[in-house]
Amino acid sequence: MKYWLIKSEPDAWSWSSQVKEGSSMWDGVRNYQARNNLKKMKKNDLCFFYHSVTERSIIGIVKVVKEYYPDPTDKTGRFVVVDVKAIKKLQNPVSLDQIKKNNKLKDIALVKQSRLSVMPLAKKEWNEIINMSLNSSNSND
DNA sequence: GCCAACGTTGGC
DNA sequence: GCCAACGTTGGC
């Protein structure tokens, strides 16, 4: 079981779209590093769903329900998608600000590589973010 | 194969 | 809305 974080601009594809659709393709990735991460995803891996730009918060959790296959929206045939399904919304969204302030999370790609849209998370980083989502008063650590 | 130019992303 | 950072493209 691996853990990931995937980003979307809520204007393009939001958490509520994901919930409404249930299981759906995670398409539109046009970056090789992100694609390579998609290819490493296994069925039942979990991903944080992050809203970029307007909200800059992790809002929910999705599960990989189908491993990678070619992205039908990509005419070059170079990129892939996975299918993901909304599992649950976080009790409290975890904002980019909170993540940046958390010393245990200072090395995650979300902070260091702000443009990467699909990134792996270590289990302890995953757990740390889960903890933060359970505790809205968690501003410092 | 290098690198300048360009386009895109995403934080601010 | 701006712009820095970064990835990609294409000319050489």
Side-chain angles (χ1 to χ4, degrees), chain A residues 9-44:
Chain A
E9 294 192 32
D11 285 348
W13 181 253
S14 70
W15 173 254
S16 54
S17 323
Q18 186 70 57
V19 170
K20 204 165 78 182
E21 290 291 317
S23 164
S24 70
M25 282 191 300
W26 191 264
D27 65 7
V29 169
R30 294 294 182 270
N31 168 286
Y32 290 104
Q33 214 182 334
R35 180 200 63 176
N36 292 341
N37 288 331
L38 283 180
K39 285 189 170 185
K40 288 184 207 151
M41 287 185 182
K42 296 291 182 204
K43 198 172 173 182
N44 296 325

Side-chain angles (χ1 to χ4, degrees), chain A residues 4-8 33 37 48-53 55-59 94-102 105-122 125 129 132:
Chain A
W4 308 90
L5 186 150
I6 56 182
K7 303 202 297 197
S8 181
Q33 214 182 334
N37 288 331
F48 283 128
F49 192 112
Y50 175 84
H51 275 173
S52 66
V53 185
E55 299 183 22
R56 271 160 280 138
S57 300
I58 296 170
I59 179 120
V94 177
S95 71
L96 182 61
D97 254 16
Q98 286 174 273
I99 289 169
K100 281 186 167 171
K101 281 183 193 154
N102 188 326
L105 300 174
K106 68 177 177 359
D107 287 329
I108 68 172
L110 183 66
V111 177
K112 295 193 115 176
Q113 251 183 297
S114 63
R115 298 188 50 188
L116 185 61
S117 61
V118 179
M119 67 195 73
L121 283 183
E125 293 163 346
I129 292 170
M132 292 166 78

